[in-house]
């Protein structure tokens, strides 16, 4: 079993930055790949970014490429999402996820197939 707890959401003006954190725990969480998804009001949950826990390879959605950076600190068992140049369209609940699928598959699979989820953290970007 893997437990994921997100933090760091909030209200920010367009053009601003936020950093989300996801504390991971559980006996085998380091064997999973990690990802961030988001869900805006009235929309389906969508892929944002993913990272392998072992070597730090990454993959991003086109909508956030160049603005968001996913990273992990193995010593702290924590996943991060640095979000810069935020836009109102980035407003959503952001979820941390863990799954054994490849980064390529994580970016394409339906969110209902993901193994583990955090509770989510709200990000609101005002214009």
């Amino acid at each position: 079993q893997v437990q994921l707890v997100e933090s760091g959401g909030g209200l920010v003006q367009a053009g601003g930055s936020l950093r989300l954190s996801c504390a991971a725990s559980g006996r085998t969480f380091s064997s999973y790949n990690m990802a961030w998804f988001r869900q805006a009001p009235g929309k389906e949950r969508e892929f944002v970014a993913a990272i392998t826990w072992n070597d730090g390879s990454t993959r991003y959605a086109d909508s956030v490429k160049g603005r968001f950076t996913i990273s992990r600190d193995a010593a702290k068992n924590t996943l991060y999402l640095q979000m810069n140049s935020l836009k109102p369209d980035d407003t959503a609940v952001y979820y941390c996820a863990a799954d054994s699928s490849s980064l390529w598959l994580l970016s394409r699979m339906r969110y209902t197939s993901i193994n583990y989820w955090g509770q989510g953290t709200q990000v609101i970007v005002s214009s």
Side-chain angles (χ1 to χ4, degrees), residues 20-71:
L20 306 183
S21 299
C22 173
S25 61
R27 194 161 59 93
T28 60
F29 76 88
S30 59
S31 64
Y32 292 92
N33 291 326
M34 305 293 294
W36 289 97
F37 284 70
R38 65 186 182 186
Q39 187 165 15
K43 295 187 177 181
E44 192 163 282
R45 198 170 299 188
E46 64 175 8
F47 171 80
V48 174
I51 189 168
T52 58
W53 197 261
N54 51 4
D55 66 4
S57 299
T58 58
R59 191 170 189 92
Y60 294 92
D62 288 343
S63 59
V64 306
K65 210 171 286 184
R67 300 188 298 123
F68 291 11
T69 302
I70 189 172
S71 63

Side-chain angles (χ1 to χ4, degrees), residues 72-92:
R72 84 274 186 264
D73 185 329
K76 296 182 179 180
N77 298 338
T78 302
L79 176 73
Y80 300 102
L81 184 68
Q82 177 67 44
M83 305 185 294
N84 299 328
S85 302
L86 283 161
K87 306 174 182 178
D89 283 350
D90 295 318
T91 294

